[in-house]
Amino acid sequence: MTGPIGVAIVVWLLAGKSWRLTAIWALLFGTGMALVVITKMAFIGWGVGVASVEFAGFSGHAMRAAAVFPVAGYLVTRSSPVWARQLGTLAGVLLAVLIAISRVYVQAHSTSESVTGCLLGLLVAAVFIWYASTEHHMALSRVLVVLCIPVLLVAPTVEPIPAEQWITQAALYLSGRDQPFTRQMWHNPQQQLTQQH
């Protein structure tokens, strides 16, 4: 759901004719996603990570949530009093933190991956919100809410794109490996040697 909401933010900014903020959001969010992909590919293809803290790449779910939800909360309350904007942003941050925690709970990511992914996303959100706070001609704050309603209704039923599979295939192609590097290889180096031969 965070991907479509990220796109909805772009549409909202374009609807408000905020060309500079549209470019800034696209650049920040794109950079965050690129760092997620790069770190994942580095581990899968070359085993680049930090074994001591089980870090094999930024959590994409945590990064997207931490980037999108605080920004959405800020933009929805952009025309409201300062306390409402702060509350909207804080609600987004809390939701993002809960999502990051859930990634550890369901064992989809290690603590280090979820924490760093969340921090990366919060950095993206903080930089964007700082830029947005200097913009004075933004309008149509209610449009984002309208755009997000169908996203919230439809997103849970949409089949997610196989991003992890694509990342794995790309990493294997670029590294020349037949099998992806896995966490088990940190604990069993002999498995890595076996797969290499």
Side-chain angles (χ1 to χ4, degrees), residues 92-117:
V93 171
L94 291 177
L95 179 57
V97 169
L98 289 175
I99 291 173
I101 292 172
S102 76
R103 305 312 295 163
V104 179
Y105 182 77
V106 300
Q107 299 182 344
H109 286 286
S110 67
T111 300
S112 65
E113 293 165 354
S114 291
V115 169
T116 54

Side-chain angles (χ1 to χ4, degrees), residues 19-50:
W19 316 124
R20 184 176 73 102
L21 282 182
T22 302
I24 290 171
W25 171 249
L27 177 62
L28 290 171
F29 190 71
T31 299
M33 285 306 303
L35 288 173
V36 169
V37 172
I38 289 169
T39 55
K40 285 178 178 290
M41 289 182 63
F43 175 74
I44 292 170
W46 293 271
V48 177
V50 184

